[in-house]
Amino acid sequence: MSGAVAVVVAAGRGTRLGGAVPKAFVPIDGRPLVERSVEALLACPEVAAAVVVVAPEEIGGTRARAAGALPGVSAVVAGGSTRLLSSLAGVEAAVGAEVVLVHDAARPFVRVATIAAVLDAVRRHGAAVPVIPVPDTVKQDDGRGFVAGTLDRASLRLAQTPQGARRALLLDALRKAAADGIDVTDEAQALERAGFPVAAVAGDPGNVKITTPRDRDEAERRISGEAHDLLRIGHGYDIHRFGGGRPLILGGVLFDGEPGLSGHSDADVVLHAAMDAVLGAAGLPDIGHRFPPGDPRFAGASSSVLAREVVAEVTFRGCAVVNLDLTLLAERPRIGPRVEAMRSAVAACFGIPAARVGLKATTHEGLGALGRGEGIACHAIALLRWRRDAS
Ligand code: MG
């Protein structure tokens, strides 16, 4: 199902969460709820783009412009006075989408598994809603402070988002509800009214809606806790002796006229240490396993190319390099004049800004083999961050 587009409804004017700031834009651990929700939806590979629906007075403002600048956001459109009209505006703007997923901006914890389950059910049944069982016994109020009865909770379900449907079905259902003047409170209700079957798929108790200041505080704790859970650190070390008649390459930069290092590939001790740090943080075997010395494919190989292969591997496994810190141990050459070039070259190999590469050098104070200038060594530390769903 190519062409699923997420419609993130952020048009509520409620300011209960954050003073003058509308709910969807209240920051949670420094980032607005709507941004977190958009990112969570786009983490599903089947979701091609997101449309963000904001209150009309937000259009052109700083908050709406920031939402529009998020990677993957194809449009920011004005919502209406009700959930139904806002949802309709978003689905109308998802032009060309075969399937739409309408999601509350206030549900930043939605997982890829839930999104994928909804899309799968849409593919088979046309429309789907994620639901969870009702954990508590449900009473009906008689309006006078007494219990009118007890509902059978076995058949009751709480509806979550994203709610998905073939776009044509949902447009039809929402337009009918709007024409009838019925204010449905979710997309499934409009589909039910229009007579379209809506599949109920397993939701996720963790996919909570942030509604009260207490919810926000809990979300803050959860996100900052998860942020730490999702970080992994790795260490790498490499050493090569001088010799072999090869040019000296350190951190992807050629040191013309300097004696080179011997080794099977280009002997770039800096990139080798950095690759091992990244692989170590990902829990993967080191470069000796990955690019075995003696394998003719890697004879004289450019370590810049190998580093990009390592990055592709960890990216495939769902993590991204956050930063690298490198310490070179060498009596020669002096790297001072080339440090910025090396940082840029290393950064390019690992797909991060140069500002996230630390690089310094020290001599070995004349001690041992390194002190006698027999070779060059490098220590590296890498930090990796996992996608929430991949760890
Ligand atoms: Mg090496």
Side-chain angles (χ1 to χ4, degrees), residues 298-321:
F298 307 121
S302 161
S303 296
S304 303
V305 173
L306 303 184
R308 287 182 168 89
E309 204 171 299
V310 164
V311 171
E313 171 71 21
V314 298
T315 304
F316 172 75
R317 286 165 187 271
C319 43
V321 179

Side-chain angles (χ1 to χ4, degrees), residues 237-240 265 267-269 272-273 287:
Y237 173 77
D238 196 26
I239 183 166
H240 283 252
S265 66
D268 187 334
V269 69
H272 290 187
I287 54 172

Side-chain angles (χ1 to χ4, degrees), residues 98-166:
E98 190 197 338
V99 167
V100 285
L101 291 167
V102 182
H103 188 65
D104 297 326
R107 292 186 192 268
F109 294 116
V110 62
R111 297 181 73 98
V112 169
T114 303
I115 303 165
V118 170
L119 286 172
D120 185 51
V122 170
R123 191 184 294 128
R124 287 181 290 123
H125 306 292
V129 55
V131 297
I132 55 172
V134 178
D136 301 317
T137 298
V138 183
K139 301 293 182 192
Q140 205 156 22
D141 191 322
D142 72 350
R144 292 170 298 167
F146 288 87
V147 171
T150 301
L151 300 179
D152 176 15
R153 73 172 182 187
S155 67
L156 294 178
R157 299 289 181 270
L158 300 174
Q160 301 185 325
T161 71
Q163 303 195 356
R166 296 196 175 279

Side-chain angles (χ1 to χ4, degrees), residues 317-391:
R317 286 165 187 271
C319 43
V321 179
V322 177
N323 73 311
L324 288 165
D325 190 24
L326 310 164
T327 302
L328 198 67
L329 308 175
E331 299 300 312
R332 65 176 296 182
R334 294 197 64 77
I335 66 160
R338 313 298 299 276
V339 162
E340 291 313 315
M342 290 168 73
R343 289 176 72 203
S344 297
V346 171
C349 292
F350 288 92
I352 55 178
R356 296 202 201 169
V357 177
L359 176 61
K360 54 243 175 284
T362 179
T363 69
H364 225 240
E365 293 288 325
L367 294 165
L370 288 172
R372 291 190 297 273
E374 293 174 17
I376 298 179
C378 187
H379 287 281
I381 288 175
L383 193 67
L384 262 58
R385 181 172 57 82
W386 253 257
R387 282 200 315 260
R388 180 148 37 101
D389 283 78
S391 55

